[in-house]
Amino acid sequence: MVIPILDYILDVEEPEDIEDFVMHLEACINTEGDKGADCFSFRIMTPKRLEKLSKGIGAMLIRSVFIVKGSNMEENINYITEEIKKLLEGCARESWEETALAINYYLNWEYYDPQKGICDFYKNTRNLT
């Protein structure tokens, strides 16, 4: 059984307004003993920004977005870290590809193409073609 582990989150910076922002981040996820990691992207957004966007757009389907309302980025990142760890608990599968596809249900896997499934680059680098 392949058990995914959150290694770290990339690109964390303090926004200008902690109550009104949207930010793109990446979680690096691997397995125990693995030296490399695959990146899974997501966004974090405050309720205030979500309200602004929904007024301009209307109804939205949101995937890979965490709504945060911490008083600082450390609080927000701690919340996201714990939520990602909870998500990963249910994503263990028999192979890394199956595990990554399960994670991709929640976060955007760097090697996933919605039109093709697992992208050709990933397949080629692991001799899966």
Side-chain angles (χ1 to χ4, degrees), residues 22-35:
V22 61
M23 185 180 295
H24 178 267
L25 297 173
E26 291 185 336
C28 296
I29 298 172
N30 59 10
T31 59
E32 190 170 333
D34 191 359
K35 293 180 183 176

Side-chain angles (χ1 to χ4, degrees), residues 4-109:
I5 300 169
L6 174 62
D7 195 5
Y8 55 93
I9 296 175
L10 291 172
D11 302 329
V12 179
E13 56 187 58
E14 197 70 33
E16 288 183 27
D17 183 351
I18 196 68
E19 294 182 7
D20 183 8
F21 72 91
V22 61
M23 185 180 295
H24 178 267
L25 297 173
E26 291 185 336
C28 296
I29 298 172
N30 59 10
T31 59
E32 190 170 333
D34 191 359
K35 293 180 183 176
D38 283 10
C39 291
F40 293 80
S41 63
F42 60 94
R43 285 187 166 61
I44 61 174
M45 182 184 311
T46 59
K48 189 173 186 177
R49 181 59 62 98
L50 178 61
E51 183 179 355
K52 284 180 178 178
L53 289 172
S54 65
K55 283 181 182 176
I57 298 171
M60 293 182 286
L61 174 62
I62 299 179
R63 179 177 166 263
S64 303
V65 176
F66 291 92
I67 305 300
V68 296
K69 54 183 181 179
S71 59
N72 58 54
M73 280 307 286
E74 182 179 358
E75 198 175 311
N76 289 331
I77 295 302
N78 288 339
Y79 164 75
I80 292 164
T81 298
E82 291 309 309
E83 291 303 308
I84 290 174
K85 286 179 180 179
K86 287 179 199 174
L87 293 173
L88 294 180
E89 288 175 8
C91 292
R93 301 291 190 275
E94 291 301 315
S95 70
W96 172 250
E97 292 77 20
E98 293 170 314
T99 301
L101 286 170
I103 299 167
N104 187 65
Y105 185 78
Y106 305 102
L107 308 172
N108 296 312
W109 186 26

